[in-house]
PDB file of all heavy atoms in Angstrom:
ATOM      1  N   VAL A 204     -12.868  11.844  34.403  1.00 95.00           N
ATOM      2  CA  VAL A 204     -13.736  11.598  35.564  1.00 95.00           C
ATOM      3  C   VAL A 204     -13.691  10.136  35.988  1.00 95.00           C
ATOM      4  O   VAL A 204     -13.581   9.815  37.176  1.00 95.00           O
ATOM      5  CB  VAL A 204     -15.180  12.028  35.240  1.00 95.00           C
ATOM      6  CG1 VAL A 204     -16.120  11.620  36.373  1.00 95.00           C
ATOM      7  CG2 VAL A 204     -15.260  13.538  35.031  1.00 95.00           C
ATOM      8  N   MET A 205     -13.772   9.222  35.017  1.00 94.00           N
ATOM      9  CA  MET A 205     -13.758   7.800  35.346  1.00 94.00           C
ATOM     10  C   MET A 205     -12.389   7.361  35.854  1.00 94.00           C
ATOM     11  O   MET A 205     -12.297   6.433  36.678  1.00 94.00           O
ATOM     12  CB  MET A 205     -14.168   6.978  34.127  1.00 94.00           C
ATOM     13  CG  MET A 205     -15.594   7.235  33.641  1.00 94.00           C
ATOM     14  SD  MET A 205     -16.835   7.050  34.943  1.00 94.00           S
ATOM     15  CE  MET A 205     -16.692   5.301  35.285  1.00 94.00           C
ATOM     16  N   SER A 250     -30.602  11.471  16.365  1.00 76.00           N
ATOM     17  CA  SER A 250     -29.481  11.701  15.453  1.00 76.00           C
ATOM     18  C   SER A 250     -28.187  11.951  16.216  1.00 76.00           C
ATOM     19  O   SER A 250     -27.131  11.417  15.868  1.00 76.00           O
ATOM     20  CB  SER A 250     -29.798  12.893  14.548  1.00 76.00           C
ATOM     21  OG  SER A 250     -28.714  13.178  13.693  1.00 76.00           O
ATOM     22  N   LEU A 328      -3.587 -11.824   9.961  1.00 93.00           N
ATOM     23  CA  LEU A 328      -2.154 -11.820   9.694  1.00 93.00           C
ATOM     24  C   LEU A 328      -1.519 -10.524  10.202  1.00 93.00           C
ATOM     25  O   LEU A 328      -0.444 -10.563  10.816  1.00 93.00           O
ATOM     26  CB  LEU A 328      -1.903 -11.980   8.187  1.00 93.00           C
ATOM     27  CG  LEU A 328      -0.435 -11.920   7.744  1.00 93.00           C
ATOM     28  CD1 LEU A 328       0.368 -13.045   8.391  1.00 93.00           C
ATOM     29  CD2 LEU A 328      -0.330 -11.984   6.216  1.00 93.00           C
ATOM     30  N   LEU A 466     -15.466  -4.363  37.397  1.00 90.00           N
ATOM     31  CA  LEU A 466     -15.833  -2.947  37.334  1.00 90.00           C
ATOM     32  C   LEU A 466     -16.441  -2.597  35.978  1.00 90.00           C
ATOM     33  O   LEU A 466     -17.457  -1.890  35.898  1.00 90.00           O
ATOM     34  CB  LEU A 466     -14.604  -2.075  37.598  1.00 90.00           C
ATOM     35  CG  LEU A 466     -14.013  -2.096  39.010  1.00 90.00           C
ATOM     36  CD1 LEU A 466     -12.824  -1.154  39.095  1.00 90.00           C
ATOM     37  CD2 LEU A 466     -15.058  -1.719  40.042  1.00 90.00           C
ATOM     38  N   THR A 592     -46.625  -3.310   0.822  1.00 89.00           N
ATOM     39  CA  THR A 592     -45.953  -3.092  -0.449  1.00 89.00           C
ATOM     40  C   THR A 592     -46.951  -2.728  -1.542  1.00 89.00           C
ATOM     41  O   THR A 592     -48.119  -3.145  -1.495  1.00 89.00           O
ATOM     42  CB  THR A 592     -45.168  -4.353  -0.882  1.00 89.00           C
ATOM     43  OG1 THR A 592     -44.476  -4.094  -2.096  1.00 89.00           O
ATOM     44  CG2 THR A 592     -46.097  -5.524  -1.076  1.00 89.00           C
ATOM     45  N   ARG A 606     -45.971 -13.084  -0.180  1.00 51.00           N
ATOM     46  CA  ARG A 606     -46.772 -13.443   0.989  1.00 51.00           C
ATOM     47  C   ARG A 606     -45.975 -14.252   1.993  1.00 51.00           C
ATOM     48  O   ARG A 606     -46.135 -14.095   3.195  1.00 51.00           O
ATOM     49  CB  ARG A 606     -48.019 -14.226   0.532  1.00 51.00           C
ATOM     50  CG  ARG A 606     -49.035 -13.344  -0.196  1.00 51.00           C
ATOM     51  CD  ARG A 606     -50.231 -14.145  -0.643  1.00 51.00           C
ATOM     52  NE  ARG A 606     -51.216 -13.294  -1.287  1.00 51.00           N
ATOM     53  CZ  ARG A 606     -52.341 -13.724  -1.834  1.00 51.00           C
ATOM     54  NH1 ARG A 606     -52.613 -15.030  -1.809  1.00 51.00           N
ATOM     55  NH2 ARG A 606     -53.182 -12.888  -2.397  1.00 51.00           N
TER      56      ARG A 606
END
Side-chain angles (χ1 to χ4, degrees):
V204 173
M205 297 307 294
S250 178
L328 177 61
L466 292 181
T592 182
R606 289 179 178 177

